[in-house]
Amino acid sequence: MASTIALALLTLIALYALKVYRQFSRNLAAAKASGIKYMTVPFFLANRYYQLSCIFIIPLMRRLPKSWTEPWFDLTLEWGWARRYEPFKRFGTDTFITVAPERNVLYTADADVICQITNRRNDFPKALEVYESLKIYGNNVVTSEGQLWRHHRKITSPPFSEKNNHLVFAETLGQSQDMVDSWMDGNTERSKTIHTVADDAMRLSLHVISRGGFGVKLEWPGKGKATENGLVKGGHDSASSDSVPKGHTMSYTDALERLPFEWARLSYTSYVEWGNYMNEMFQSKKSAILEGTEGDNLDLMVAMIKGAGVTKESAANGQTPAQTLTDDEILGNAFVFILAGHETAANSIHFCLVLLAMNIASQRHLQRDLDEIFQGRPVSQWDYDQDVPKLFGGMAGAVMNEELRLLAPVVGIPKSTAKGSPQPLNVGGKKCTVPENAYIQLMSPAAHRNPNQWPTSPPADPENPAHPLSNTDNDLEEFKPERWLLDSDAKNAASMPDHDGDAEASSLAVNTAPDTSAALYRPPKGAYIPFSEGYRSCIGRRFAQVEILAVLALVFSQYSVELSVDAYASDEEVEKMSEKEKRGVWGKAKAEVERQMRDDMASVITLQLRKGSIGLRFVKRGNERFDWK
């Protein structure tokens, strides 16, 4: 009996090994025939079983002789952020394939290749398997392809308009002031060390998307007053931060801020509660539309309901109109817009503050530029049409662009080729073929640091490069927002980027305008992809950009941001230090933050600091402790 079982097991293992060998042979043959450089690896990086078991597999592979693993070992890890452009330089190409038994993967940092792939969306569709977790409430514009995507896109695009951006600008200014006030905590000169900047930026972005996307205004903790139902009607809906309405076990704000990604009980509770709140909002706005009482409100929920065919006219015959989006699809889109809409902006706000605290000269440059734009006007007199184009085309826009270049939200933008459908591709002037069923990664950290596509200068400190592996001989790893500035006066005549006239894009409400102002440097198309590229680029990118610019303007027009040196000296000790001694403790703090942003970053949905926090201090301008060029 035992021998029979053993024989059966050996037979199964042999059959599995034969299957793996045949798959690998087939993939290797396709890679050889592609005309693209390739490297064989033992594992497909996106395989879920490998991802779950790699904590055991990786230590074992590290024990193997380096001569066995050196060419490919780093490519079995999450290497996009850790190694950036280095693998492309090592292989001598900006596009290469890894061959694994399960699937071939094409990696590219080549602007022209990226443009080809993103422009041919039917030939290179999104790798939808990556987005399965975003279907938690229903299918949506991110998790769909083909005609279904076109349908979702046309319905969900209207709220992302210049009219809505006016609201985003005003709401962000108010929320930013509340956030800074909470940091200052009544102190008129400087804050204590703030370790919650990342969390507070998340809160701010959630509040802005709630207002701009769903018409519900959220008050900053300590600012609002609870009402009986948690929601009060005014010029808009508003919600207190801690009120739990009847029939709920969690406030609207808590359900929104936790979202269904926490563990165990809270995860399930937030999943149920957020769905209930969205459903109540959906039913309320649907009723208002059918009654014709929704006014001129065009938030995301109203737009989706109307786009789905629910209007007062459609119900005039007394029958409930058929919806072209199901209730689940409307909730699914609501969820993905909140999730994607707040993480990108929040992370960028956090990192902009950190990078400017580390680069004092650039921070002072930004403040001078803001002084020139606003001319001492109070925030209440700031105007979207007058001021935002200047912010977009000035130092604020340069800071935002440079942060997004260095810390793009998505490390690897996933595309694919369909089974049985290899695709021609021009790689470096050579006609090649991407194998069928290939997984594709548009590597934004590498594309944004590709010296073949970006102007370069020598590194600031050749003996201590900004990154130990990537671009050690140039400045592309360094934060230099000034690289974007062309003419200091150009911002005064700048306007917001406009569409390029693509008729099909217009029919789908796809914003084909460049990501950067005409007053700033514009990289080659495909070289700068923080919001992806082409028809599947981020639908809310201008929403996010306006939000980031508003925060930068509000904070740095009034305050300076400094690195915390608490780990190296007390406030009293700093006050007694000479400038040389201050530079010493500040340098130690900067070195530690650089280490954190190099080693403690990881990407789940977006790139974030996954370990610890970075302490910052906010001081009224003129009260800086660390102030030098």
Side-chain angles (χ1 to χ4, degrees):
M1 180 65 178
S3 60
T4 303
I5 294 175
L7 180 61
L9 288 173
L10 288 173
T11 302
L12 289 174
I13 292 171
L15 289 173
Y16 178 74
L18 179 61
K19 177 184 176 183
V20 169
Y21 174 76
R22 292 179 65 183
Q23 287 178 328
F24 178 76
S25 298
R26 188 161 50 244
N27 291 342
L28 181 60
K32 287 180 176 180
S34 71
I36 301 170
K37 282 193 174 183
Y38 66 90
M39 171 67 65
T40 58
V41 297
F43 306 108
F44 172 50
L45 191 59
N47 181 283
R48 292 180 181 178
Y49 298 109
Y50 171 68
Q51 291 175 341
L52 291 172
S53 60
C54 65
I55 57 173
F56 305 108
I57 295 174
I58 297 301
L60 292 175
M61 287 199 297
R62 291 188 191 278
R63 293 175 178 270
L64 296 174
K66 284 190 176 181
S67 59
W68 293 9
T69 63
E70 193 168 20
W72 52 262
F73 177 71
D74 60 297
L75 300 180
T76 63
L77 310 174
E78 291 287 351
W79 61 270
W81 172 249
R83 306 188 79 89
R84 307 176 191 181
Y85 186 70
E86 183 275 331
F88 294 95
K89 183 176 182 180
R90 188 190 344 149
F91 297 145
T93 178
D94 287 339
T95 302
F96 65 87
I97 291 174
T98 59
V99 182
E102 182 176 344
R103 201 170 183 185
N104 287 337
V105 182
L106 182 141
Y107 296 99
T108 187
D110 185 306
D112 180 63
V113 170
I114 289 171
C115 284
Q116 292 178 66
I117 290 171
T118 54
N119 289 337
R120 292 163 54 191
R121 66 184 189 279
N122 295 323
D123 295 335
F124 298 100
K126 288 180 79 170
L128 293 182
E129 63 270 21
V130 177
Y131 298 98
E132 281 298 312
S133 62
L134 298 184
K135 290 184 179 181
I136 187 170
Y137 289 101
N139 212 349
N140 54 72
V141 70
V142 173
T143 63
S144 56
E145 259 296 355
Q147 285 300 116
L148 182 59
W149 168 79
R150 293 171 65 90
H151 180 60
H152 279 271
R153 179 83 189 210
K154 290 183 73 171
I155 290 174
T156 56
S157 291
F160 295 97
S161 63
E162 281 299 284
K163 178 181 177 181
N164 192 261
N165 289 339
H166 283 69
L167 172 62
V168 171
F169 183 63
E171 183 66 18
T172 304
L173 292 177
Q175 294 285 349
S176 299
Q177 188 64 67
D178 290 344
M179 178 174 68
V180 174
D181 289 346
S182 73
W183 290 337
M184 300 302 290
D185 195 24
N187 193 310
T188 58
E189 291 188 1
R190 60 171 52 93
S191 74
K192 61 184 180 182
T193 297
I194 307 297
H195 286 282
T196 60
V197 175
D199 293 337
D200 292 336
M202 285 287 184
R203 182 189 295 272
L204 180 144
S205 290
L206 281 168
H207 287 199
V208 173
I209 192 77
S210 179
R211 176 72 178 97
F214 300 95
V216 178
K217 180 174 178 61
L218 297 173
E219 301 289 354
W220 202 262
K223 297 287 289 189
K225 294 182 179 179
T227 63
E228 180 179 354
N229 296 320
L231 295 173
V232 293
K233 301 291 183 181
H236 50 259
D237 292 341
S238 66
S240 70
S241 62
D242 55 6
S243 178
V244 180
K246 293 178 181 178
H248 290 271
T249 60
M250 187 179 283
S251 71
Y252 171 85
T253 310
D254 283 344
L256 183 69
E257 291 179 355
R258 284 176 176 149
L259 285 173
F261 282 106
E262 292 195 9
W263 294 100
R265 181 180 60 82
L266 278 180
S267 175
Y268 179 74
T269 301
S270 60
Y271 164 76
V272 172
E273 286 294 303
W274 190 87
N276 288 341
Y277 277 114
M278 287 296 105
N279 189 57
E280 289 169 10
M281 186 186 298
F282 166 61
Q283 297 300 337
S284 173
K285 292 181 183 287
K286 182 177 179 180
S287 296
I289 291 170
L290 292 174
E291 294 168 3
T293 59
E294 79 280 11
D296 62 353
N297 185 15
L298 192 63
D299 62 42
L300 176 63
M301 188 68 79
V302 169
M304 286 193 293
I305 296 170
K306 285 186 172 182
V310 179
T311 64
K312 182 180 179 181
E313 293 73 22
S314 67
N317 57 9
Q319 296 181 352
T320 302
Q323 291 181 203
T324 57
L325 281 183
T326 68
D327 290 4
D328 285 347
E329 288 174 330
I330 289 174
L331 291 182
N333 278 299
F335 170 71
V336 81
F337 279 122
I338 281 187
L339 179 67
H342 87 275
E343 280 211 354
T344 297
N347 292 333
S348 292
I349 290 166
H350 175 217
F351 293 137
C352 279
L353 295 175
V354 172
L355 290 167
L356 286 167
M358 297 166 66
N359 294 271
I360 297 173
S362 292
Q363 183 176 164
R364 299 293 172 264
H365 190 166
L366 171 62
Q367 290 169 326
R368 291 192 300 271
D369 204 56
L370 294 174
D371 292 344
E372 182 183 336
I373 291 171
F374 296 116
Q375 297 290 313
R377 284 179 286 136
V379 176
S380 60
Q381 293 180 18
W382 292 5
D383 178 75
Y384 178 91
D385 294 317
Q386 175 185 346
D387 298 322
V388 171
K390 294 179 182 179
L391 292 172
F392 201 62
M395 188 61 177
V399 167
M400 176 181 66
N401 293 349
E402 182 71 347
E403 183 279 327
L404 287 168
R405 183 187 73 83
L406 288 176
L407 296 138
V410 179
V411 171
I413 299 170
K415 301 290 183 178
S416 65
T417 54
K419 289 184 177 180
S421 182
Q423 293 297 331
L425 190 70
N426 188 303
V427 180
K430 176 184 175 183
K431 292 183 178 180
C432 301
T433 302
V434 182
E436 57 96 17
N437 193 35
Y439 185 67
I440 299 171
Q441 293 259 282
L442 313 181
M443 303 301 287
S444 56
H448 292 179
R449 294 165 168 83
N450 189 339
N452 299 317
Q453 297 163 178
W454 290 81
T456 63
S457 296
D461 185 356
E463 299 300 319
N464 296 286
H467 192 274
L469 300 172
S470 178
N471 286 309
T472 57
D473 58 348
N474 61 56
D475 65 345
L476 288 177
E477 292 292 339
E478 299 170 18
F479 177 74
K480 291 177 64 174
E482 290 79 6
R483 77 174 78 241
W484 297 84
L485 301 177
L486 300 176
D487 180 349
S488 60
D489 296 324
K491 68 177 182 295
N492 296 319
S495 59
M496 296 302 283
D498 202 358
H499 298 266
D500 63 9
D502 187 316
E504 184 181 8
S506 297
S507 72
L508 293 170
V510 172
N511 188 343
T512 55
D515 285 333
T516 60
S517 170
L520 299 177
Y521 172 70
R522 280 184 172 169
K525 196 169 180 62
Y528 183 63
I529 52 172
F531 299 102
S532 190
E533 186 68 74
Y535 283 73
R536 295 303 302 256
S537 61
C538 176
I539 192 173
R541 61 173 173 157
R542 195 70 75 227
F543 186 114
Q545 289 173 320
V546 169
E547 182 181 336
I548 295 165
L549 291 172
V551 174
L552 291 175
L554 188 286
V555 172
F556 289 99
S557 64
Q558 304 175 52
Y559 302 92
S560 293
V561 181
E562 298 182 338
L563 294 177
S564 169
V565 298
D566 294 354
Y568 311 100
S570 67
D571 289 350
E572 293 76 15
E573 290 171 327
V574 171
E575 291 300 324
K576 298 175 183 177
M577 287 180 177
S578 65
E579 181 174 316
K580 181 178 180 181
E581 290 171 324
K582 286 182 179 180
R583 285 178 180 269
V585 295
W586 183 86
K588 291 178 181 178
K590 181 183 179 184
E592 172 57 18
V593 173
E594 287 173 338
R595 185 205 63 76
Q596 287 180 277
M597 295 187 72
R598 182 181 65 246
D599 300 338
D600 295 344
M601 302 276 285
S603 180
V604 176
I605 294 176
T606 56
L607 184 66
Q608 298 180 40
L609 186 68
R610 296 294 175 180
K611 295 180 183 178
S613 63
I614 296 172
L616 298 177
R617 288 201 174 190
F618 297 81
V619 301
K620 271 286 186 180
R621 289 176 60 179
N623 293 289
E624 295 86 0
R625 299 187 301 171
F626 308 102
D627 193 14
W628 50 75
K629 294 184 179 179

